[in-house]
Amino acid sequence: MTYARILLFALLGVSTPFMAASNVKLPLPVVDETHNIEQHSIEVKDSWMTYLEQGEGKAVVFVHGNPTSSYSWRNVMPYISDTHRAIAVDLIGMGDSGKPDIEYTFKEQYKYFSRFIKGLDLDEVILVGHDWGAAIAWLYAKRNPGKVEALAFMEGVLPPQFPAESYESLGPVADFFRALRDPVLGPMLVIEQNMWIEQALPASVNRTLGEHAMEAYRAPYLVPESRKPLLAWPNQLPIAHEPAQADRLMRGIKRFMRKTDMPTLYIYGSPSVERSPQVLKWYVDNIDELETSYVGQGLHYLPEDQPDAIGRSLDDWLRRLDD
């Protein structure tokens, strides 16, 4: 058993992936791993960003997390593209977007995303975010309240889990994140062994990812030097007030969550990786205009586990927003 896999078990909970599969009472969803959604690109700052687009109308922008891409939204977008303009972006350094020589901090990722929205001339948007994409969506809504009509999110790198006051407060995942921040072990796991793609991603999907999906997720990171964003993201998690910039940004998101009247949808599954019962209660208690939607069994990469349920949930929510 590799050290990376031991760390993954600590991250997910030793038995979580296996118990999730063995306790199934209904068949797992059949998930299509192909798509025919057209890809586009746009110049952004000193590079370019790619995106999938389908449909017409009010823009709904999907924002992925680490280590995924716009590909993860392929089965969700068709549910809303009959009534909306569905756009799924590849964050900078990820998917088919360019890989400029930057550090890929949370702040830098946000700046490129913000320029992407400006480049598409989107004056009013609805945002849908997952993982770090949820944090980017919330930060954009905080800074552009007049442009964001509503926001949906799932399995986000967000309060109440982050900022974490200490490594100890993270419980069994503390050693995992310490390892990724180790100057030797972190690059060995993520840059050399491509652990985030080869182990963390498939282990955090309740179904078995097929070879087509694995090829799509591998494609942006075939050589070690292309994996810099995958290591940058976990090192941006605000733990014990470090990194200070990410800590400030996340605390600002937390304050915004508590005061905004923006329509918000929280989508969650079970058993999840973010301890959804506790997280759900925090969101219900702290976000005023919140709706919640349970979409069934799934781990962290929920769009790969429950795309149809997510799509139906978003379609219903968007329809009621438009009424």
Side-chain angles (χ1 to χ4, degrees):
M1 181 179 292
T2 66
Y3 186 55
R5 186 167 294 277
I6 293 171
L7 290 172
L8 280 171
F9 289 165
L11 172 65
L12 296 171
V14 173
S15 59
T16 298
F18 307 105
M19 289 182 65
S22 64
N23 290 340
V24 170
K25 293 184 178 180
L26 296 173
L28 290 173
V30 176
V31 177
D32 190 353
E33 295 191 348
T34 64
H35 74 88
N36 59 1
I37 304 174
E38 187 175 359
Q39 186 184 70
H40 306 265
S41 67
I42 183 175
E43 291 185 6
V44 178
K45 290 170 67 73
D46 53 347
S47 190
W48 72 90
M49 294 177 74
T50 48
Y51 60 100
L52 305 179
E53 182 173 350
Q54 185 179 63
E56 297 179 353
K58 189 177 295 181
V60 178
V61 179
F62 293 84
V63 196
H64 68 86
N66 188 35
T68 56
S69 66
S70 60
Y71 172 81
S72 66
W73 300 110
R74 68 196 180 279
N75 292 316
V76 178
M77 294 172 67
Y79 278 92
I80 69 161
S81 59
D82 285 344
T83 55
H84 292 77
R85 181 186 178 190
I87 299 168
V89 64
D90 286 328
L91 293 174
I92 196 67
M94 309 185 78
D96 289 328
S97 288
K99 295 181 183 290
D101 185 17
I102 60 174
E103 294 304 310
Y104 296 99
T105 63
F106 181 19
K107 184 175 182 179
E108 287 174 317
Q109 286 280 4
Y110 171 80
K111 285 183 176 179
Y112 276 86
F113 175 77
S114 180
R115 292 287 188 91
F116 169 79
I117 296 292
K118 184 177 181 181
L120 289 185
D121 196 26
L122 301 178
D123 291 328
E124 187 177 35
V125 298
I126 296 166
L127 300 177
V128 181
H130 169 257
D131 188 80
W132 273 104
I136 289 174
W138 272 101
L139 183 58
Y140 188 85
K142 175 182 179 291
R143 293 186 171 182
N144 301 273
K147 290 187 176 184
V148 180
E149 179 181 334
L151 187 154
F153 67 107
M154 64 204 79
E155 289 288 313
V157 180
L158 287 168
Q161 297 139 303
F162 296 101
E165 296 304 320
S166 66
Y167 279 95
E168 290 69 27
S169 69
L170 295 172
V173 303
D175 287 343
F176 178 79
F177 292 121
R178 280 197 179 102
L180 292 181
R181 293 188 179 188
D182 183 274
V184 175
L185 191 55
M188 181 190 75
L189 293 171
V190 178
I191 304 298
E192 297 175 25
Q193 298 181 10
N194 204 14
M195 175 270 292
W196 215 265
I197 293 291
E198 299 298 336
Q199 295 178 301
L201 173 61
S204 302
V205 178
N206 196 44
R207 68 184 184 89
T208 299
L209 286 178
E211 192 56 32
H212 192 98
M214 287 304 300
E215 287 180 2
Y217 286 125
R218 285 184 185 118
Y221 311 109
L222 296 178
V223 294
E225 54 267 28
S226 66
R227 300 166 192 160
K228 185 176 180 180
L230 307 189
L231 181 59
W233 275 126
N235 285 306
Q236 285 296 294
L237 291 171
I239 305 171
H241 302 282
E242 293 293 337
Q245 185 181 80
D247 186 84
R248 287 194 298 272
L249 293 175
M250 199 69 74
R251 291 181 189 278
I253 290 171
K254 190 173 186 178
R255 290 191 295 270
F256 177 68
M257 285 177 162
R258 285 172 162 158
K259 70 178 184 180
T260 184
D261 59 359
M262 173 182 63
T264 307
L265 176 66
Y266 176 55
I267 297 172
Y268 66 103
S270 177
S272 173
V273 174
E274 65 172 11
R275 297 170 296 184
S276 56
Q278 297 92 331
V279 173
L280 174 63
K281 184 179 186 307
W282 192 92
Y283 291 140
V284 169
D285 290 346
N286 287 277
I287 302 176
D288 285 341
E289 297 298 320
L290 179 74
E291 292 188 30
T292 64
S293 179
Y294 177 72
V295 293
Q297 191 174 69
L299 294 176
H300 180 61
Y301 295 98
L302 209 51
E304 284 291 356
D305 276 327
Q306 296 289 350
D308 296 327
I310 293 170
R312 288 191 293 268
S313 176
L314 287 170
D315 178 55
D316 176 67
W317 179 63
L318 292 169
R319 175 181 52 78
R320 288 183 288 103
L321 285 178
D322 291 337
D323 285 345

